[in-house]
Amino acid sequence: MIISDFRQENNTSVRISARITFEESNQPDKDVFIETTKVFGSNIHVSPTAFLVGTIIPALYFREKRISVDAKICPGLLEGLETVMALMASWSGGKMPPLVLECRKKKGLSRQPVNRAGMVFSGGVDSLAALRLNRLRYPESHPGYIRDCFFIHGFDIGGVVARGSKYYVFDRAVKTMKAVTDQAGARLVPVYTNFRHLCDDRELWLYRFHGAVLASIAHSFSSSIDFFYIASTYDIDHLGPSGSHPLIDPEYSSFDIRIKHRDASWPRIDKLRLLTQWDLGLSHLRVCLANVKDRLNCGKCEKCVRTMTGLVALGALDRADAFVEDDVTPDMFDPFKITIRHREPFYRELLPLLEKKGRMDLVNTIRRKLQ
């Protein structure tokens, strides 16, 4: 793989991009980009590092022998990418062997620290809890205090080519999430990218790829932040191979920007419990991937029903304005499986709470489907 033709375009938005050329596979050449609105245009910069990080997983997946980038790359990041490649080779059973990184080594820092932190922000349980914990634990004067929340188009919205860009859904979500970040005293920074389009394989995206793209966003904004949080999906007891993982995310760091996978000590139910104590967060909780019209959450998909069941277990669904429904019934589980993509831990932790609530109808349904 060759990464070349770095450029920046300043129009109604600000876009940085590069040309990706595959050498060993028949994948077509592609321009990949990271973009933000003009309001935040001074915070993004052309970063060869961002494109190296954002493309390394597809390069491994398509069995490229090298990545060649004519740019200076932090030797600390290069060491981290060696670890990432070793993990990918292990997790894939040797199907994604390491490749050679051809670049020049950066001799020092690109700039002085700015003492500013940012985070990935989707409005889901993990990111809302991460923001809430940050506000409860960090004083505003601390460099780890989150000031920028990056809301990304090209993941669940606009990430799958066949489903279309759905910019109207993204714009609606930005407006909703801005109410949360405004109250928290942070900036909501909309970001657009097409890195996921390099390989539209869902399993690769979930279990190998998406953390690298999150890290690439961090590097593209590394002139304005020097600390970047990625909220955990799974707690320590239930870790498995994943695109975002406490063994991987920090390895995408350089000496210009530190990336942290946070809150892996927190089970999902504890994060949800934390949100029941934050009315605005609870009313703006966005977990749905269906992106239906006129509703933040569809109330029917697996993620919606799972989250609503957790809120039932905590006695808080009736207070959650993010959902139209005020209860969960067993028939709502009929359309989907709950044993795919390592979701079982999220359901098992609900069982003791549901039993305590006397909701044996839901307990029996979950146990049956777990079998």
Side-chain angles (χ1 to χ4, degrees):
M1 175 185 283
I2 300 172
I3 307 174
S4 62
D5 193 19
F6 300 104
R7 55 199 184 275
Q8 178 168 325
E9 302 169 61
N10 301 315
N11 297 303
T12 54
S13 60
V14 178
R15 171 181 289 194
I16 62 170
S17 59
R19 188 72 168 172
I20 307 302
T21 303
F22 289 89
E23 298 179 290
E24 306 297 330
S25 68
N26 60 359
Q27 298 300 305
D29 294 358
K30 191 171 186 66
D31 288 329
V32 292
F33 66 83
I34 302 170
E35 180 179 320
T36 190
T37 58
K38 206 167 186 72
V39 174
F40 304 104
S42 62
N43 300 128
I44 195 171
H45 69 287
V46 175
S47 170
T49 298
F51 293 99
L52 171 59
V53 169
T55 58
I56 189 168
I57 301 302
L60 293 170
Y61 180 76
F62 289 117
R63 305 291 290 266
E64 294 289 297
K65 294 181 180 178
R66 67 169 186 167
I67 296 180
S68 173
V69 51
D70 186 15
K72 295 179 181 179
I73 304 296
C74 174
L77 171 64
L78 295 176
E79 286 184 337
L81 293 181
E82 289 178 355
T83 300
V84 170
M85 289 190 289
L87 278 167
M88 293 300 161
S90 175
W91 286 354
S92 67
K95 294 180 180 179
M96 295 173 64
L99 49 72
V100 176
L101 299 173
E102 297 180 359
C103 60
R104 291 174 283 140
K105 292 183 180 179
K106 188 182 295 184
K107 295 181 179 180
L109 298 178
S110 298
R111 54 162 179 80
Q112 293 299 311
V114 294
N115 293 324
R116 190 178 183 94
M119 70 170 291
V120 181
F121 189 74
S122 66
V125 174
D126 299 321
S127 65
L128 275 174
L131 179 59
R132 184 61 174 165
L133 285 170
N134 183 267
R135 288 301 181 257
L136 292 173
R137 292 173 170 176
Y138 287 76
E140 189 173 356
S141 59
H142 195 283
Y145 185 89
I146 292 168
R147 301 182 186 278
D148 294 317
C149 293
F150 296 92
F151 193 82
I152 305 171
H153 180 276
F155 275 61
D156 61 306
I157 305 174
V160 180
V161 175
R163 295 178 183 174
S165 297
K166 294 188 176 181
Y167 289 116
Y168 69 93
V169 176
F170 184 76
D171 293 342
R172 183 184 65 191
V174 166
K175 183 178 179 180
T176 301
M177 293 303 111
K178 192 173 184 301
V180 178
T181 56
D182 282 352
Q183 188 197 67
R187 302 190 306 177
L188 185 73
V189 183
V191 180
Y192 306 80
T193 186
N194 67 339
F195 273 104
R196 184 173 179 175
H197 296 175
L198 286 172
C199 181
D200 215 12
D201 182 277
R202 181 176 176 82
E203 301 299 309
L204 181 75
W205 176 251
L206 292 174
Y207 295 118
R208 306 287 187 269
F209 188 14
H210 71 277
V213 179
L214 295 175
S216 74
I217 303 299
H219 283 284
S220 69
F221 283 87
S222 63
S223 63
S224 59
I225 57 172
D226 39 35
F227 202 93
F228 189 78
Y229 296 104
I230 299 176
S232 63
T233 300
Y234 295 99
D235 63 282
I236 294 294
D237 286 341
H238 300 105
L239 287 174
S242 177
S244 175
H245 189 284
L247 285 178
I248 290 183
D249 294 347
E251 300 297 342
Y252 291 125
S253 301
S254 71
F255 278 83
D256 285 322
I257 187 165
R258 179 184 173 191
I259 298 171
K260 181 178 180 179
H261 181 102
R262 58 164 300 148
D263 308 324
S265 63
W266 280 67
R268 178 69 62 82
I269 190 62
D270 288 344
K271 294 178 182 179
L272 196 56
R273 183 181 287 109
L274 177 69
L275 296 182
T276 66
Q277 303 163 23
W278 182 22
D279 289 342
L280 188 69
L282 191 61
S283 64
H284 289 73
L285 179 60
R286 175 186 169 269
V287 301
C288 187
L289 302 183
N291 300 318
V292 296
K293 187 177 182 180
D294 300 328
R295 286 185 60 169
L296 189 60
N297 299 290
C298 75
K300 298 178 180 179
C301 70
E302 185 273 332
K303 288 192 72 178
C304 280
V305 173
R306 184 203 329 147
T307 306
M308 292 190 300
T309 304
L311 291 170
V312 168
L314 295 169
L317 182 57
D318 60 329
R319 296 193 292 110
D321 293 339
F323 298 97
V324 174
E325 296 76 11
D326 57 11
D327 196 14
V328 175
T329 56
D331 62 285
M332 296 170 73
F333 288 83
D334 291 343
F336 50 78
K337 295 181 179 180
I338 66 174
T339 55
I340 60 172
R341 301 191 178 99
H342 198 38
R343 292 171 182 172
E344 298 92 336
F346 300 141
Y347 287 96
R348 290 194 180 103
E349 67 184 3
L350 301 180
L351 296 176
L353 293 173
L354 291 170
E355 286 183 358
K356 191 174 181 179
K357 287 284 183 183
R359 292 303 303 268
M360 296 308 298
D361 56 335
L362 299 180
V363 170
N364 292 334
T365 298
I366 292 172
R367 284 177 174 165
R368 173 176 54 83
K369 292 187 75 73
L370 284 173
Q371 293 174 355

mmCIF file of all heavy atoms in Angstrom, residues 159-200:
data_model
loop_
_atom_site.group_PDB
_atom_site.id
_atom_site.type_symbol
_atom_site.label_atom_id
_atom_site.label_comp_id
_atom_site.label_asym_id
_atom_site.label_seq_id
_atom_site.Cartn_x
_atom_site.Cartn_y
_atom_site.Cartn_z
ATOM 1 N N GLY A 159 -21.563 4.929 7.398
ATOM 2 C CA GLY A 159 -20.398 4.061 7.297
ATOM 3 C C GLY A 159 -20.548 2.945 6.288
ATOM 4 O O GLY A 159 -19.578 2.568 5.629
ATOM 5 N N VAL A 160 -21.757 2.418 6.148
ATOM 6 C CA VAL A 160 -22.016 1.310 5.227
ATOM 7 C C VAL A 160 -22.470 1.881 3.890
ATOM 8 O O VAL A 160 -23.480 2.582 3.815
ATOM 9 C CB VAL A 160 -23.084 0.358 5.795
ATOM 10 C CG1 VAL A 160 -23.343 -0.789 4.827
ATOM 11 C CG2 VAL A 160 -22.640 -0.184 7.155
ATOM 12 N N VAL A 161 -21.727 1.581 2.852
ATOM 13 C CA VAL A 161 -21.975 2.184 1.542
ATOM 14 C C VAL A 161 -23.411 1.941 1.080
ATOM 15 O O VAL A 161 -24.095 2.858 0.603
ATOM 16 C CB VAL A 161 -20.981 1.625 0.498
ATOM 17 C CG1 VAL A 161 -21.308 2.158 -0.891
ATOM 18 C CG2 VAL A 161 -19.552 1.979 0.882
ATOM 19 N N ALA A 162 -23.899 0.718 1.241
ATOM 20 C CA ALA A 162 -25.222 0.357 0.723
ATOM 21 C C ALA A 162 -26.357 1.103 1.413
ATOM 22 O O ALA A 162 -27.453 1.226 0.865
ATOM 23 C CB ALA A 162 -25.432 -1.151 0.867
ATOM 24 N N ARG A 163 -26.107 1.610 2.604
ATOM 25 C CA ARG A 163 -27.169 2.288 3.353
ATOM 26 C C ARG A 163 -27.221 3.787 3.084
ATOM 27 O O ARG A 163 -28.111 4.477 3.583
ATOM 28 C CB ARG A 163 -26.995 2.044 4.854
ATOM 29 C CG ARG A 163 -27.167 0.574 5.253
ATOM 30 C CD ARG A 163 -26.934 0.387 6.726
ATOM 31 N NE ARG A 163 -27.031 -1.020 7.120
ATOM 32 C CZ ARG A 163 -26.760 -1.476 8.331
ATOM 33 N NH1 ARG A 163 -26.362 -0.631 9.282
ATOM 34 N NH2 ARG A 163 -26.872 -2.766 8.602
ATOM 35 N N GLY A 164 -26.270 4.299 2.342
ATOM 36 C CA GLY A 164 -26.277 5.711 1.986
ATOM 37 C C GLY A 164 -25.676 6.584 3.070
ATOM 38 O O GLY A 164 -25.377 6.137 4.184
ATOM 39 N N SER A 165 -25.522 7.850 2.757
ATOM 40 C CA SER A 165 -24.847 8.782 3.660
ATOM 41 C C SER A 165 -25.724 9.229 4.825
ATOM 42 O O SER A 165 -25.236 9.465 5.925
ATOM 43 C CB SER A 165 -24.373 10.011 2.879
ATOM 44 O OG SER A 165 -23.428 9.642 1.898
ATOM 45 N N LYS A 166 -27.009 9.394 4.585
ATOM 46 C CA LYS A 166 -27.966 9.782 5.629
ATOM 47 C C LYS A 166 -27.497 11.012 6.416
ATOM 48 O O LYS A 166 -27.494 11.027 7.647
ATOM 49 C CB LYS A 166 -28.239 8.613 6.575
ATOM 50 C CG LYS A 166 -28.955 7.441 5.916
ATOM 51 C CD LYS A 166 -29.379 6.404 6.936
ATOM 52 C CE LYS A 166 -30.183 5.288 6.277
ATOM 53 N NZ LYS A 166 -30.630 4.261 7.250
ATOM 54 N N TYR A 167 -27.120 12.043 5.697
ATOM 55 C CA TYR A 167 -26.668 13.263 6.367
ATOM 56 C C TYR A 167 -27.766 13.887 7.220
ATOM 57 O O TYR A 167 -27.490 14.500 8.251
ATOM 58 C CB TYR A 167 -26.162 14.273 5.334
ATOM 59 C CG TYR A 167 -24.860 13.879 4.684
ATOM 60 C CD1 TYR A 167 -24.796 13.604 3.317
ATOM 61 C CD2 TYR A 167 -23.683 13.776 5.433
ATOM 62 C CE1 TYR A 167 -23.594 13.235 2.721
ATOM 63 C CE2 TYR A 167 -22.487 13.413 4.845
ATOM 64 C CZ TYR A 167 -22.448 13.144 3.485
ATOM 65 O OH TYR A 167 -21.258 12.780 2.895
ATOM 66 N N TYR A 168 -29.005 13.724 6.830
ATOM 67 C CA TYR A 168 -30.106 14.295 7.603
ATOM 68 C C TYR A 168 -30.198 13.640 8.975
ATOM 69 O O TYR A 168 -30.532 14.301 9.973
ATOM 70 C CB TYR A 168 -31.432 14.154 6.843
ATOM 71 C CG TYR A 168 -31.950 12.741 6.717
ATOM 72 C CD1 TYR A 168 -32.856 12.216 7.641
ATOM 73 C CD2 TYR A 168 -31.525 11.912 5.682
ATOM 74 C CE1 TYR A 168 -33.319 10.915 7.529
ATOM 75 C CE2 TYR A 168 -31.976 10.606 5.568
ATOM 76 C CZ TYR A 168 -32.878 10.119 6.496
ATOM 77 O OH TYR A 168 -33.330 8.834 6.390
ATOM 78 N N VAL A 169 -29.895 12.346 9.041
ATOM 79 C CA VAL A 169 -29.882 11.656 10.334
ATOM 80 C C VAL A 169 -28.730 12.177 11.188
ATOM 81 O O VAL A 169 -28.880 12.421 12.392
ATOM 82 C CB VAL A 169 -29.760 10.132 10.143
ATOM 83 C CG1 VAL A 169 -29.651 9.424 11.496
ATOM 84 C CG2 VAL A 169 -30.945 9.593 9.367
ATOM 85 N N PHE A 170 -27.592 12.360 10.557
ATOM 86 C CA PHE A 170 -26.419 12.862 11.275
ATOM 87 C C PHE A 170 -26.684 14.269 11.811
ATOM 88 O O PHE A 170 -26.386 14.565 12.976
ATOM 89 C CB PHE A 170 -25.213 12.863 10.345
ATOM 90 C CG PHE A 170 -23.928 13.268 11.012
ATOM 91 C CD1 PHE A 170 -23.259 12.387 11.837
ATOM 92 C CD2 PHE A 170 -23.382 14.521 10.794
ATOM 93 C CE1 PHE A 170 -22.062 12.752 12.448
ATOM 94 C CE2 PHE A 170 -22.190 14.899 11.405
ATOM 95 C CZ PHE A 170 -21.521 14.010 12.233
ATOM 96 N N ASP A 171 -27.237 15.132 10.974
ATOM 97 C CA ASP A 171 -27.513 16.501 11.400
ATOM 98 C C ASP A 171 -28.486 16.531 12.573
ATOM 99 O O ASP A 171 -28.334 17.329 13.506
ATOM 100 C CB ASP A 171 -28.077 17.315 10.237
ATOM 101 C CG ASP A 171 -27.060 17.536 9.127
ATOM 102 O OD1 ASP A 171 -25.853 17.369 9.392
ATOM 103 O OD2 ASP A 171 -27.467 17.846 7.997
ATOM 104 N N ARG A 172 -29.478 15.671 12.527
ATOM 105 C CA ARG A 172 -30.440 15.590 13.627
ATOM 106 C C ARG A 172 -29.750 15.124 14.904
ATOM 107 O O ARG A 172 -29.989 15.649 15.996
ATOM 108 C CB ARG A 172 -31.573 14.632 13.260
ATOM 109 C CG ARG A 172 -32.679 14.516 14.314
ATOM 110 C CD ARG A 172 -33.699 13.472 13.890
ATOM 111 N NE ARG A 172 -33.117 12.134 13.853
ATOM 112 C CZ ARG A 172 -33.726 11.078 13.327
ATOM 113 N NH1 ARG A 172 -34.912 11.208 12.762
ATOM 114 N NH2 ARG A 172 -33.148 9.896 13.348
ATOM 115 N N ALA A 173 -28.881 14.126 14.776
ATOM 116 C CA ALA A 173 -28.165 13.606 15.946
ATOM 117 C C ALA A 173 -27.215 14.653 16.523
ATOM 118 O O ALA A 173 -27.094 14.784 17.748
ATOM 119 C CB ALA A 173 -27.405 12.345 15.574
ATOM 120 N N VAL A 174 -26.550 15.420 15.653
ATOM 121 C CA VAL A 174 -25.656 16.481 16.121
ATOM 122 C C VAL A 174 -26.433 17.496 16.947
ATOM 123 O O VAL A 174 -25.998 17.916 18.029
ATOM 124 C CB VAL A 174 -24.963 17.173 14.928
ATOM 125 C CG1 VAL A 174 -24.320 18.485 15.359
ATOM 126 C CG2 VAL A 174 -23.907 16.261 14.318
ATOM 127 N N LYS A 175 -27.589 17.887 16.463
ATOM 128 C CA LYS A 175 -28.410 18.861 17.183
ATOM 129 C C LYS A 175 -28.814 18.326 18.552
ATOM 130 O O LYS A 175 -28.783 19.040 19.555
ATOM 131 C CB LYS A 175 -29.653 19.194 16.357
ATOM 132 C CG LYS A 175 -30.537 20.260 16.982
ATOM 133 C CD LYS A 175 -31.717 20.581 16.086
ATOM 134 C CE LYS A 175 -32.610 21.641 16.721
ATOM 135 N NZ LYS A 175 -33.784 21.959 15.843
ATOM 136 N N THR A 176 -29.175 17.043 18.603
ATOM 137 C CA THR A 176 -29.578 16.431 19.871
ATOM 138 C C THR A 176 -28.410 16.340 20.836
ATOM 139 O O THR A 176 -28.516 16.683 22.013
ATOM 140 C CB THR A 176 -30.156 15.024 19.623
ATOM 141 O OG1 THR A 176 -31.270 15.125 18.742
ATOM 142 C CG2 THR A 176 -30.608 14.380 20.933
ATOM 143 N N MET A 177 -27.265 15.879 20.346
ATOM 144 C CA MET A 177 -26.115 15.686 21.213
ATOM 145 C C MET A 177 -25.494 16.998 21.670
ATOM 146 O O MET A 177 -24.880 17.072 22.728
ATOM 147 C CB MET A 177 -25.055 14.842 20.499
ATOM 148 C CG MET A 177 -25.479 13.394 20.245
ATOM 149 S SD MET A 177 -25.935 12.544 21.770
ATOM 150 C CE MET A 177 -27.702 12.349 21.520
ATOM 151 N N LYS A 178 -25.678 18.054 20.882
ATOM 152 C CA LYS A 178 -25.119 19.348 21.264
ATOM 153 C C LYS A 178 -25.755 19.873 22.546
ATOM 154 O O LYS A 178 -25.110 20.595 23.321
ATOM 155 C CB LYS A 178 -25.296 20.353 20.128
ATOM 156 C CG LYS A 178 -24.495 21.647 20.313
ATOM 157 C CD LYS A 178 -24.574 22.518 19.081
ATOM 158 C CE LYS A 178 -23.699 23.759 19.238
ATOM 159 N NZ LYS A 178 -24.068 24.582 20.406
ATOM 160 N N ALA A 179 -27.006 19.512 22.781
ATOM 161 C CA ALA A 179 -27.643 19.924 24.032
ATOM 162 C C ALA A 179 -26.907 19.339 25.235
ATOM 163 O O ALA A 179 -26.785 19.980 26.282
ATOM 164 C CB ALA A 179 -29.105 19.476 24.035
ATOM 165 N N VAL A 180 -26.394 18.119 25.075
ATOM 166 C CA VAL A 180 -25.657 17.461 26.156
ATOM 167 C C VAL A 180 -24.289 18.108 26.340
ATOM 168 O O VAL A 180 -23.891 18.448 27.461
ATOM 169 C CB VAL A 180 -25.492 15.956 25.867
ATOM 170 C CG1 VAL A 180 -24.683 15.291 26.961
ATOM 171 C CG2 VAL A 180 -26.850 15.293 25.732
ATOM 172 N N THR A 181 -23.550 18.269 25.251
ATOM 173 C CA THR A 181 -22.207 18.825 25.376
ATOM 174 C C THR A 181 -22.240 20.280 25.818
ATOM 175 O O THR A 181 -21.352 20.723 26.543
ATOM 176 C CB THR A 181 -21.434 18.682 24.058
ATOM 177 O OG1 THR A 181 -22.169 19.301 22.989
ATOM 178 C CG2 THR A 181 -21.222 17.207 23.718
ATOM 179 N N ASP A 182 -23.248 21.012 25.399
ATOM 180 C CA ASP A 182 -23.378 22.401 25.856
ATOM 181 C C ASP A 182 -23.529 22.453 27.370
ATOM 182 O O ASP A 182 -22.884 23.269 28.048
ATOM 183 C CB ASP A 182 -24.574 23.083 25.191
ATOM 184 C CG ASP A 182 -24.293 23.508 23.760
ATOM 185 O OD1 ASP A 182 -23.121 23.411 23.325
ATOM 186 O OD2 ASP A 182 -25.234 23.925 23.068
ATOM 187 N N GLN A 183 -24.392 21.593 27.912
ATOM 188 C CA GLN A 183 -24.575 21.581 29.363
ATOM 189 C C GLN A 183 -23.297 21.170 30.071
ATOM 190 O O GLN A 183 -22.983 21.672 31.156
ATOM 191 C CB GLN A 183 -25.710 20.633 29.762
ATOM 192 C CG GLN A 183 -26.063 20.733 31.259
ATOM 193 C CD GLN A 183 -26.857 19.562 31.756
ATOM 194 O OE1 GLN A 183 -26.378 18.441 31.812
ATOM 195 N NE2 GLN A 183 -28.109 19.822 32.133
ATOM 196 N N ALA A 184 -22.552 20.257 29.443
ATOM 197 C CA ALA A 184 -21.312 19.775 30.060
ATOM 198 C C ALA A 184 -20.155 20.751 29.874
ATOM 199 O O ALA A 184 -19.065 20.541 30.423
ATOM 200 C CB ALA A 184 -20.935 18.423 29.470
ATOM 201 N N GLY A 185 -20.361 21.810 29.100
ATOM 202 C CA GLY A 185 -19.298 22.782 28.883
ATOM 203 C C GLY A 185 -18.229 22.329 27.922
ATOM 204 O O GLY A 185 -17.055 22.709 28.046
ATOM 205 N N ALA A 186 -18.625 21.517 26.933
ATOM 206 C CA ALA A 186 -17.681 21.033 25.916
ATOM 207 C C ALA A 186 -18.181 21.424 24.530
ATOM 208 O O ALA A 186 -19.366 21.725 24.351
ATOM 209 C CB ALA A 186 -17.512 19.516 26.013
ATOM 210 N N ARG A 187 -17.283 21.403 23.559
ATOM 211 C CA ARG A 187 -17.664 21.679 22.174
ATOM 212 C C ARG A 187 -18.012 20.376 21.471
ATOM 213 O O ARG A 187 -17.288 19.389 21.601
ATOM 214 C CB ARG A 187 -16.521 22.350 21.410
ATOM 215 C CG ARG A 187 -16.012 23.639 21.986
ATOM 216 C CD ARG A 187 -15.058 24.342 21.020
ATOM 217 N NE ARG A 187 -13.957 23.490 20.578
ATOM 218 C CZ ARG A 187 -13.037 23.858 19.693
ATOM 219 N NH1 ARG A 187 -13.087 25.070 19.147
ATOM 220 N NH2 ARG A 187 -12.048 23.044 19.340
ATOM 221 N N LEU A 188 -19.104 20.369 20.724
ATOM 222 C CA LEU A 188 -19.407 19.231 19.858
ATOM 223 C C LEU A 188 -18.783 19.501 18.494
ATOM 224 O O LEU A 188 -19.137 20.468 17.819
ATOM 225 C CB LEU A 188 -20.914 19.031 19.717
ATOM 226 C CG LEU A 188 -21.296 17.779 18.923
ATOM 227 C CD1 LEU A 188 -21.042 16.534 19.763
ATOM 228 C CD2 LEU A 188 -22.752 17.812 18.500
ATOM 229 N N VAL A 189 -17.855 18.643 18.088
ATOM 230 C CA VAL A 189 -17.118 18.822 16.835
ATOM 231 C C VAL A 189 -17.582 17.766 15.839
ATOM 232 O O VAL A 189 -17.274 16.579 15.995
ATOM 233 C CB VAL A 189 -15.600 18.696 17.068
ATOM 234 C CG1 VAL A 189 -14.849 18.954 15.760
ATOM 235 C CG2 VAL A 189 -15.139 19.644 18.160
ATOM 236 N N PRO A 190 -18.350 18.135 14.817
ATOM 237 C CA PRO A 190 -18.753 17.145 13.813
ATOM 238 C C PRO A 190 -17.585 16.799 12.890
ATOM 239 O O PRO A 190 -16.856 17.675 12.437
ATOM 240 C CB PRO A 190 -19.869 17.862 13.041
ATOM 241 C CG PRO A 190 -19.617 19.317 13.247
ATOM 242 C CD PRO A 190 -18.920 19.475 14.557
ATOM 243 N N VAL A 191 -17.417 15.502 12.652
ATOM 244 C CA VAL A 191 -16.330 15.011 11.809
ATOM 245 C C VAL A 191 -16.913 14.035 10.798
ATOM 246 O O VAL A 191 -17.811 13.249 11.117
ATOM 247 C CB VAL A 191 -15.245 14.301 12.656
ATOM 248 C CG1 VAL A 191 -14.117 13.786 11.764
ATOM 249 C CG2 VAL A 191 -14.695 15.237 13.723
ATOM 250 N N TYR A 192 -16.388 14.081 9.587
ATOM 251 C CA TYR A 192 -16.844 13.202 8.500
ATOM 252 C C TYR A 192 -15.639 12.444 7.961
ATOM 253 O O TYR A 192 -14.583 13.033 7.724
ATOM 254 C CB TYR A 192 -17.486 14.026 7.375
ATOM 255 C CG TYR A 192 -18.591 14.942 7.834
ATOM 256 C CD1 TYR A 192 -18.298 16.172 8.426
ATOM 257 C CD2 TYR A 192 -19.933 14.584 7.682
ATOM 258 C CE1 TYR A 192 -19.312 17.022 8.853
ATOM 259 C CE2 TYR A 192 -20.951 15.427 8.109
ATOM 260 C CZ TYR A 192 -20.633 16.638 8.692
ATOM 261 O OH TYR A 192 -21.630 17.477 9.125
ATOM 262 N N THR A 193 -15.793 11.142 7.742
ATOM 263 C CA THR A 193 -14.705 10.363 7.188
ATOM 264 C C THR A 193 -15.256 9.195 6.373
ATOM 265 O O THR A 193 -16.393 8.765 6.579
ATOM 266 C CB THR A 193 -13.768 9.835 8.295
ATOM 267 O OG1 THR A 193 -12.642 9.188 7.702
ATOM 268 C CG2 THR A 193 -14.480 8.846 9.205
ATOM 269 N N ASN A 194 -14.439 8.680 5.460
ATOM 270 C CA ASN A 194 -14.844 7.515 4.654
ATOM 271 C C ASN A 194 -13.851 6.363 4.789
ATOM 272 O O ASN A 194 -13.793 5.481 3.927
ATOM 273 C CB ASN A 194 -14.993 7.917 3.178
ATOM 274 C CG ASN A 194 -13.661 8.293 2.529
ATOM 275 O OD1 ASN A 194 -12.689 8.636 3.223
ATOM 276 N ND2 ASN A 194 -13.605 8.244 1.211
ATOM 277 N N PHE A 195 -13.073 6.337 5.863
ATOM 278 C CA PHE A 195 -12.104 5.248 6.048
ATOM 279 C C PHE A 195 -12.781 3.889 6.023
ATOM 280 O O PHE A 195 -12.221 2.915 5.502
ATOM 281 C CB PHE A 195 -11.362 5.418 7.383
ATOM 282 C CG PHE A 195 -10.146 6.287 7.306
ATOM 283 C CD1 PHE A 195 -10.166 7.589 7.792
ATOM 284 C CD2 PHE A 195 -8.977 5.809 6.755
ATOM 285 C CE1 PHE A 195 -9.043 8.393 7.724
ATOM 286 C CE2 PHE A 195 -7.839 6.599 6.682
ATOM 287 C CZ PHE A 195 -7.876 7.904 7.175
ATOM 288 N N ARG A 196 -13.982 3.798 6.580
ATOM 289 C CA ARG A 196 -14.663 2.506 6.631
ATOM 290 C C ARG A 196 -14.915 1.951 5.231
ATOM 291 O O ARG A 196 -15.002 0.731 5.034
ATOM 292 C CB ARG A 196 -15.975 2.628 7.399
ATOM 293 C CG ARG A 196 -16.701 1.291 7.571
ATOM 294 C CD ARG A 196 -17.914 1.399 8.472
ATOM 295 N NE ARG A 196 -18.593 0.108 8.580
ATOM 296 C CZ ARG A 196 -19.627 -0.146 9.375
ATOM 297 N NH1 ARG A 196 -20.107 0.820 10.150
ATOM 298 N NH2 ARG A 196 -20.181 -1.347 9.409
ATOM 299 N N HIS A 197 -15.016 2.820 4.238
ATOM 300 C CA HIS A 197 -15.302 2.383 2.873
ATOM 301 C C HIS A 197 -14.120 1.669 2.224
ATOM 302 O O HIS A 197 -14.267 1.099 1.136
ATOM 303 C CB HIS A 197 -15.717 3.578 2.014
ATOM 304 C CG HIS A 197 -17.004 4.218 2.478
ATOM 305 N ND1 HIS A 197 -17.516 5.366 1.907
ATOM 306 C CD2 HIS A 197 -17.871 3.869 3.458
ATOM 307 C CE1 HIS A 197 -18.634 5.691 2.523
ATOM 308 N NE2 HIS A 197 -18.875 4.801 3.466
ATOM 309 N N LEU A 198 -12.959 1.691 2.859
ATOM 310 C CA LEU A 198 -11.824 0.916 2.336
ATOM 311 C C LEU A 198 -12.112 -0.578 2.371
ATOM 312 O O LEU A 198 -11.593 -1.333 1.552
ATOM 313 C CB LEU A 198 -10.560 1.212 3.144
ATOM 314 C CG LEU A 198 -9.886 2.561 2.897
ATOM 315 C CD1 LEU A 198 -8.779 2.782 3.909
ATOM 316 C CD2 LEU A 198 -9.340 2.649 1.475
ATOM 317 N N CYS A 199 -12.929 -0.984 3.342
ATOM 318 C CA CYS A 199 -13.331 -2.386 3.419
ATOM 319 C C CYS A 199 -14.668 -2.443 4.136
ATOM 320 O O CYS A 199 -14.754 -2.117 5.318
ATOM 321 C CB CYS A 199 -12.300 -3.226 4.159
ATOM 322 S SG CYS A 199 -12.763 -4.967 4.228
ATOM 323 N N ASP A 200 -15.698 -2.856 3.415
ATOM 324 C CA ASP A 200 -17.060 -2.808 3.945
ATOM 325 C C ASP A 200 -17.452 -4.106 4.655
ATOM 326 O O ASP A 200 -18.625 -4.426 4.758
ATOM 327 C CB ASP A 200 -18.044 -2.519 2.801
ATOM 328 C CG ASP A 200 -19.212 -1.659 3.265
ATOM 329 O OD1 ASP A 200 -19.137 -1.115 4.370
ATOM 330 O OD2 ASP A 200 -20.199 -1.554 2.516
#
